[in-house]
Amino acid sequence: MEIEPTYRDLIKELKEKKIRLSYQRVKILDYLNQHRTHPTADEIYTGLIAEIPSLSKTTVYNSLNSLVKANLIQELTIEDNENRYDIVTETHGHFKCEECGRIYDFKVELDSFNPEELKDFQINQKGVYFKGICKKCLETNQKNLQNEE
Amino acid sequence: MEIEPTYRDLIKELKEKKIRLSYQRVKILDYLNQHRTHPTADEIYTGLIAEIPSLSKTTVYNSLNSLVKANLIQELTIEDNENRYDIVTETHGHFKCEECGRIYDFKVELDSFNPEELKDFQINQKGVYFKGICKKCLETNQKNLQNEE
DNA sequence: TTCTTTATTGTAATCATTACACTTTATTAT
DNA sequence: ATAATAAAGTGTAATGATTACAATAAAGAA
Ligand SMILES: [Mn+2]
Ligand SMILES: [Mn+2]
Ligand SMILES: [Zn+2]
Ligand SMILES: [Zn+2]
């Protein structure tokens, strides 16, 4: 696979971490870049299997773990039964709708937030997860109520 | 099991939700009240099996789910492979040490924080999870380095 | 007590993720 | 370029937390 020049230094950095940017991994990265829905490993697998018939689900898991370790992507643990992946590695909040399951991004300023209780702690990662019902679902519910009358 | 008078109104509220405060559930609640370490279902089971030899792990899971639904306890999803439980239901932050696994509480003021992106969303729950290395582990690491010299 | 509902228990099933052994591909040395 | 070495991909089996299910027990209502 031809690699664009802009990726040169990235690849170099990965080489130092001994993480190769293989065909499969680039495709997974590309999928995450085009699908900003915070997909699961299974969704990524299903989305790529047509284009890469040889793809193994194990490869998806292995690749995602490598990419997380290289800090190219972020792993989200919102529900206990599924990990999700995000190509945006900067700290931001995630809202999961308990009705439709969609996950929304929102801005959160946490750089300046260092709680007293964690003084002298080394903080590596900050996660903010909200749950509730999204605007779309609230509107749908409202319409259904009106139709029932 | 004899129930203390202070629980009277609580039990009434639970009755309305059709959730009975059985012997096992009270014991689980009591365990969570005495062990503020955010234990897993398995840790609760192991901690109670000596006192309640008939206890089933399924009961622990069922009870925890009922207590969460009744909002008597809170479910924490920090890592994907284990849910943890907290008798403190007020919103607060959790720090998980990546070295020793301990989970620390910290204060977080989120009542006033309503991100622009979630305008018109119904927010039911706010979770804040930090990860890193705790003070104890950092100090231990430091000592080990000194001894190696 | 008798009827009805809810809870407990043990076992089997589920399902996301990982372990493992093998093959393929990429990198390095000769 | 060829051979040797290291990393990655693949398929299948294992793992492990959680849930489903059916039978039994306990609690509440009548
Ligand atoms: Mn995101
Ligand atoms: Mn807590
Ligand atoms: Zn929704
Ligand atoms: Zn620690």
Side-chain angles (χ1 to χ4, degrees):
Chain A
M1 162 165 288
E2 198 61 31
I3 303 298
E4 294 177 30
T6 45
Y7 288 124
R8 281 281 149 72
D9 45 352
L10 176 65
I11 290 171
K12 198 173 181 183
E13 190 195 342
L14 289 176
K15 259 186 192 164
E16 283 161 19
K17 294 184 187 177
K18 296 210 173 176
I19 292 171
R20 283 182 202 156
L21 214 44
S22 68
Y23 175 73
Q24 284 85 344
R25 289 178 183 170
V26 172
K27 282 294 181 188
I28 289 170
L29 264 182
D30 196 47
Y31 184 92
L32 283 171
N33 191 39
Q34 288 182 46
H35 301 82
R36 304 299 184 103
T37 54
H38 314 90
T40 62
D42 194 69
E43 285 166 352
I44 297 169
Y45 172 78
T46 305
L48 290 176
I49 190 64
E51 196 180 355
I52 318 172
S54 73
L55 186 65
S56 163
K57 201 173 273 189
T58 301
T59 298
V60 177
Y61 280 106
N62 288 340
S63 298
L64 289 170
N65 287 338
S66 297
L67 294 171
V68 168
K69 206 172 289 179
N71 206 38
L72 285 183
I73 63 173
Q74 186 186 173
E75 188 177 59
L76 309 179
T77 306
I78 309 177
E79 307 277 46
D80 58 312
N81 59 330
E82 54 176 25
N83 276 352
R84 295 178 168 274
Y85 296 89
D86 192 342
I87 200 162
V88 180
T89 53
E90 289 78 34
T91 296
H92 60 283
H94 289 100
F95 175 97
K96 172 151 191 178
C97 176
E98 291 164 324
E99 209 156 300
C100 66
R102 264 185 286 252
I103 291 167
Y104 297 83
D105 289 320
F106 60 89
K107 275 201 211 74
V108 131
E109 182 45 59
L110 283 179
D111 294 332
S112 56
F113 176 59
N114 290 300
E116 178 65 22
E117 294 97 326
L118 303 185
K119 200 167 52 118
D120 304 321
F121 281 45
Q122 176 188 318
I123 300 173
N124 294 335
Q125 207 184 119
K126 296 178 174 181
V128 179
Y129 297 108
F130 285 11
K131 288 182 189 176
I133 303 179
C134 77
K135 190 181 177 182
K136 273 185 193 166
C137 286
L138 286 174
E139 285 170 352
T140 306
N141 294 349
Q142 195 58 36
K143 276 180 193 163
N144 289 343
L145 271 177
Q146 289 173 351
N147 287 342
E148 278 174 18
E149 284 168 11
Chain B
M1 162 166 288
E2 198 58 35
I3 303 295
E4 295 177 29
T6 46
Y7 288 123
R8 282 281 148 70
D9 45 351
L10 176 64
I11 290 171
K12 197 173 182 182
E13 189 194 345
L14 289 176
K15 258 186 195 164
E16 283 162 18
K17 294 183 187 177
K18 298 209 174 176
I19 292 172
R20 283 182 202 158
L21 214 44
S22 68
Y23 175 72
Q24 286 84 345
R25 288 177 183 171
V26 173
K27 282 294 181 187
I28 289 170
L29 264 183
D30 195 46
Y31 185 91
L32 284 171
N33 191 39
Q34 288 182 45
H35 300 82
R36 304 299 184 102
T37 54
H38 313 91
T40 62
D42 194 69
E43 285 167 351
I44 297 169
Y45 172 78
T46 305
L48 290 176
I49 190 65
E51 197 179 354
I52 318 171
S54 74
L55 186 64
S56 164
K57 202 174 272 188
T58 301
T59 299
V60 176
Y61 280 107
N62 287 341
S63 298
L64 289 170
N65 287 337
S66 296
L67 294 171
V68 167
K69 204 173 289 177
N71 205 39
L72 284 184
I73 64 173
Q74 187 186 172
E75 188 177 59
L76 309 179
T77 306
I78 310 177
E79 308 276 46
D80 58 310
N81 59 328
E82 55 176 26
N83 276 352
R84 295 179 168 274
Y85 296 89
D86 193 342
I87 200 162
V88 180
T89 52
E90 289 78 34
T91 296
H92 61 284
H94 289 99
F95 175 96
K96 171 149 189 180
C97 175
E98 291 165 325
E99 210 156 300
C100 66
R102 263 186 287 252
I103 292 166
Y104 298 83
D105 289 321
F106 60 89
K107 276 201 209 74
V108 132
E109 182 45 60
L110 283 179
D111 294 333
S112 56
F113 175 60
N114 290 298
E116 178 65 22
E117 293 97 326
L118 303 184
K119 202 168 51 123
D120 303 322
F121 282 45
Q122 176 188 318
I123 300 173
N124 294 335
Q125 206 184 117
K126 297 179 175 180
V128 179
Y129 298 107
F130 286 10
K131 287 182 190 175
I133 304 180
C134 77
K135 190 180 176 182
K136 273 184 195 167
C137 286
L138 286 175
E139 284 170 352
T140 306
N141 294 349
Q142 195 60 35
K143 277 180 193 162
N144 290 343
L145 272 178
Q146 290 172 351
N147 288 341
E148 279 174 18
E149 283 168 15

